[in-house]
Amino acid sequence: MQKRFPSHRFIAEEAAAAGAKCVLTPSPTWIIDPIDGTCNFVHRFPTVAVSIGFAVNQELEFGVIYHCTEERLYTGRRGRGAFCNGQRLQVSGETDLSKALVLTEIGPKRDPATLKLFLSNMERLLHAKAHGVRVIGSSTLALCLLASGAADAYYQFGLHCWDLAAATVIIREAGGIVMDTSGGPLDLMSCRVVAAGTREMATLIAQALQTINYGRDDEK
Ligand SMILES: O=P(O)(O)OC[C@@]1(O)O[C@H](CO)[C@@H](O)[C@@H]1O
Ligand SMILES: [Mg+2]
């Protein structure tokens, strides 16, 4: 891709792990997670995906997520809708938490203070009578399930821009909301997100959460 688009920039999980900076500039930028769900992959647990997002002028233009083991290709293009294997995606219209299936991921930090906050956020949602809370080991696929209406909300602290970029376009084009955990606009580099089929549901979840600080992708 670099050969074909020499002026484009690339942000990718493995490049970042090797020390490359994750800065989103106005230049056309591919934002890539080659394998989301690596732990699942190692265990042959089948939620594994490739995620590719594309931004221009810091605006997300399209996203492609391939659920390898199920051969499902999720696509979304700004203003043109979201699809799974060609079938149009539509989020759920759920606004009642007691009828909502909520997805999250644990996040990479496992120190006692972070785990306490993570568990306490889950406890808050369960106390608020969320119908179910699930962790599937791939934030990109969890976000695709939200875009398909199979789940009603998603939240996480500790995910990265390559987990979010493609899925954000797909969810928005399926009619959903992707926002910051403060209730404000999404910041792709902030390592935190709330997404839902409806603004009411996203706001309910955001209000229930305590912040877990993971820093920013563009300051690492
Ligand atoms: O390393 P991988 O396989 O790309 O990430 C797996 C994963 O569950 O861990 C991240 C942090 O919790 C999630 O955002 C992501 O989906
Ligand atoms: Mg990932």
Side-chain angles (χ1 to χ4, degrees):
M1 280 163 82
Q2 243 155 1
K3 270 190 200 142
R4 184 148 175 210
F5 305 109
S7 64
H8 291 193
R9 294 171 64 94
F10 293 82
I11 294 175
E13 180 168 18
E14 271 60 34
K21 291 273 172 230
C22 291
V23 180
L24 188 60
T25 71
S27 302
T29 304
W30 299 82
I31 306 166
I32 301 171
D33 191 345
I35 302 181
D36 186 46
T38 314
C39 181
N40 288 346
F41 183 77
V42 166
H43 290 273
R44 301 187 197 179
F45 189 85
T47 18
V48 178
V50 178
S51 177
I52 303 176
F54 185 70
V56 182
N57 289 325
Q58 291 166 324
E59 178 139 31
L60 293 162
E61 291 293 339
F62 65 78
V64 178
I65 295 174
Y66 185 52
H67 185 175
C68 323
T69 56
E70 302 253 326
E71 300 188 353
R72 285 203 183 125
L73 184 70
Y74 294 88
T75 58
R77 185 168 166 194
R78 190 163 67 93
R80 303 278 184 95
F83 300 86
C84 177
N85 288 354
Q87 273 204 312
R88 191 147 200 145
L89 297 176
Q90 175 65 48
V91 292
S92 89
E94 193 54 69
T95 54
D96 178 349
L97 190 59
S98 72
K99 293 182 183 151
L101 191 59
V102 182
L103 306 181
T104 188
E105 286 297 318
I106 299 169
K109 283 194 203 167
R110 302 293 159 86
D111 61 278
T114 303
L115 282 183
K116 202 169 172 191
L117 281 170
F118 169 79
L119 292 171
S120 144
N121 278 339
M122 201 179 261
E123 197 178 2
R124 282 168 177 231
L125 290 171
L126 292 169
H127 273 156
K129 305 239 177 311
H131 194 197
V133 180
R134 303 277 183 274
V135 175
I136 64 168
S138 161
S139 45
T140 56
L141 286 179
L143 290 161
C144 287
L145 289 170
L146 169 64
S148 338
D152 305 287
Y154 183 84
Y155 70 94
Q156 194 189 343
F157 295 93
L159 79 177
H160 298 281
C161 56
W162 48 79
D163 296 314
L164 257 183
T168 294
V169 190
I170 294 168
I171 291 169
R172 286 179 175 157
E173 288 300 320
I177 301 292
V178 187
M179 59 158 68
D180 187 64
T181 50
S182 66
L186 174 73
D187 176 346
L188 192 63
M189 295 292 161
S190 68
C191 297
R192 59 196 211 181
V193 72
V194 175
T198 61
R199 184 165 292 279
E200 291 93 322
M201 180 64 67
T203 305
L204 270 176
I205 305 269
Q207 284 169 348
L209 298 176
Q210 301 167 99
T211 299
I212 306 176
N213 188 5
Y214 269 92
R216 299 180 56 80
D217 277 335
D218 51 9
E219 285 173 4
K220 282 171 190 149

